[in-house]
Amino acid sequence: MSATFKGYPRPNGTFGIRNNVMIVAIDECCEGIARNISKEIDDSVVVTNHYTCMYGGNEEMIDTIIHTATNPNIAGVLVIAMGCGSIDPEMVAGPVRQQGFPVHTLTVIKNKGTVETIKDGIELAKELKAYADSVERVDTPVSALRIGIKCGGSDTSSGLASNPSVGAASDKLVDMGAITMAGELLELLGCEEILKARSVTPEVGEKIERLIAEDLKRWHVIEGTETMSIGNSVGGLTTIDEKSQGAMHKTGTRPIQDCLRINHIHREKPTVPGFYLTETTMLCGGAAMHFASLGCQLILWTAGAAGFNNSIVPVIRVSGNTSLITADMDINACGIMDATDTIDNVSNQIIDKVFAVASGAPTNLEGVGFAYASLYQKDQRLEHVIGICPQ
């Protein structure tokens, strides 16, 4: 088992496991332009603002784009604006440039329209691609790894096999010096006292309890069916509390260093090695971008059903459901369900896969059936109405 991986060094001291060029359509009107440029550039990914071209109220979404643009899996950035919206492309480009990443901007109206912008954008993206190709992998300590942990379509096998296996892998990675983090706080409802007992300080424990309570305000439905998808019910889960008890196992057992906030005024990031909870959304596509914005280079995803993919942060899939073991799954945890395998053994397989993927090996679905880079943000007006005021 290696304690290093082959990473791409970045100007801000981080290390990527992929070498992507990110093309940002800061106004959704530019998405077609961005995708026409991307078609000509290998290892490029398009991130589109599908909200509005107005800035006010979209601070959280813009912040997610900025911090994703400085994810270590990104080598360089091209930002495209239409020119009639209120989001200046420099709002994204400036912070990215300050961290030493190469970045270009184009404004369609100033650039004489769509055709000329695509033409110029291809040339600028080729420059970024040439820079990316000039960066070589180097031996990188495990302390540079940040790993997101997410469950999806949970079923009765999730809390017994895949989640405990990922939790055990998280413990071992933390012991090696890595940073791991999980989100979807509402799906930890009912686990507050256990999580508080793991917190490094009483203040962190109180923060976890408060942020779970805030997520309950956001998602609670009076009839009590919140967050239980049909897939969860078909998979044998009956209540959100039951689902939470299984979901918690993917967080492992190590001390919780902090519960990181993600909102329009906060983008808290890890400060020391260890395990963190975060406000990463439970919505799969948005969760991948939240993890990207927190600097994660890859995601461990426990599957009770099919699931998302992401073109910035590779996703390693783990399942204990025999009916789901197809070419999509990276790790088969089914042996735990019939007592022919152990959580410890499966967690070691997960760690081996983590180091292989971090050094360049593709996940089973990497580059296949990718999902668009979904941006998620909380509605500030709704937050005000339900009395959530970030502190």
Side-chain angles (χ1 to χ4, degrees), residues 26-27 57 142 160 198 381:
I26 202 66
D27 306 316
V142 67
L160 297 172
R198 286 175 54 192
R381 293 164 296 184

Side-chain angles (χ1 to χ4, degrees), residues 20-325:
N20 297 304
V21 171
M22 180 167 153
I23 303 172
V24 181
I26 202 66
D27 306 316
E28 64 176 342
C29 311
C30 304
E31 183 175 38
I33 295 170
R35 296 206 177 278
N36 272 282
I37 295 169
S38 180
K39 285 193 298 187
E40 304 298 322
I41 309 297
D42 291 338
D43 301 318
S44 62
V45 56
V46 173
V47 174
T48 302
N49 162 24
H50 285 291
Y51 285 92
T52 80
C53 57
M54 306 303 289
Y55 179 62
N58 289 314
E59 290 84 353
E60 182 180 335
M61 179 269 297
I62 293 294
D63 201 47
T64 296
I65 294 176
I66 292 170
H67 286 271
T68 299
T70 56
N71 179 284
N73 288 355
I74 302 296
V77 183
L78 172 63
V79 186
I80 305 170
M82 187 55 72
C84 47
S86 64
I87 304 175
D88 189 323
E90 278 297 320
M91 294 174 69
V92 172
V96 176
R97 191 177 295 114
Q98 285 178 2
Q99 293 201 36
F101 288 78
V103 56
H104 298 298
T105 63
L106 280 173
T107 301
V108 178
I109 293 175
K110 290 181 181 176
N111 212 59
K112 299 181 180 179
T114 297
V115 173
E116 289 300 315
T117 302
I118 292 173
K119 178 182 173 184
D120 291 348
I122 290 172
E123 293 306 310
L124 291 174
K126 283 181 176 177
E127 287 183 19
L128 296 172
K129 174 61 176 168
Y131 166 77
D133 289 343
S134 72
V135 182
E136 296 183 353
R137 289 184 183 269
V138 298
D139 288 330
T140 306
V142 67
S143 58
L145 268 182
R146 294 185 179 189
I147 300 170
I149 297 173
K150 173 88 174 73
C151 56
S154 299
D155 64 8
T156 50
S157 75
S158 299
L160 297 172
S162 54
N163 285 344
S165 300
V166 166
S170 173
D171 285 350
K172 294 174 183 178
L173 287 162
V174 166
D175 293 345
M176 292 178 189
I179 289 173
T180 62
M181 58 185 84
E184 42 196 347
L185 294 180
L186 180 57
E187 301 192 6
L188 295 173
L189 186 68
C191 306
E192 291 90 338
E193 293 304 318
I194 299 171
L195 298 170
K196 287 169 69 176
R198 286 175 54 192
S199 302
V200 294
T201 66
E203 290 75 19
V204 170
E206 291 168 6
K207 188 176 179 184
I208 292 170
E209 189 170 37
R210 173 165 51 84
L211 295 183
I212 290 175
E214 289 182 357
D215 228 22
L216 180 61
K217 281 187 177 180
R218 288 188 191 100
W219 291 97
H220 179 66
V221 179
I222 299 300
E223 298 300 323
T225 57
E226 67 275 11
T227 76
M228 287 290 292
S229 71
I230 291 176
N232 293 149
S233 300
V234 171
L237 301 179
T238 59
T239 65
I240 181 63
D241 299 84
E242 182 184 53
K243 183 179 176 182
S244 297
Q245 295 296 322
M248 182 181 62
H249 288 294
K250 71 180 184 293
T251 70
T253 62
R254 294 299 180 261
I256 301 171
Q257 301 296 326
D258 200 354
C259 192
L260 307 174
R261 291 174 296 181
I262 301 173
N263 56 51
H264 65 289
I265 58 174
H266 292 293
R267 178 78 44 167
E268 295 177 334
K269 292 194 173 182
T271 53
V272 297
F275 173 78
Y276 291 78
L277 287 176
T278 76
E279 281 197 299
T280 296
T281 177
M282 60 190 168
L283 305 175
C284 291
M289 295 303 286
H290 269 169
F291 282 130
S293 72
L294 292 171
C296 291
Q297 298 105 325
L298 60 86
I299 295 170
L300 295 174
W301 190 71
T302 62
F308 72 105
N309 210 352
N310 185 268
S311 48
I312 298 174
V313 185
V315 179
I316 295 173
R317 296 165 184 246
V318 184
S319 181
N321 184 334
T322 54
S323 66
L324 289 177
I325 302 303

Side-chain angles (χ1 to χ4, degrees), residues 217-218 378-388:
K217 281 187 177 180
R218 288 188 191 100
K378 294 179 282 293
D379 188 316
Q380 292 180 40
R381 293 164 296 184
L382 177 60
E383 296 281 295
H384 177 74
V385 168
I386 61 178
I388 296 177

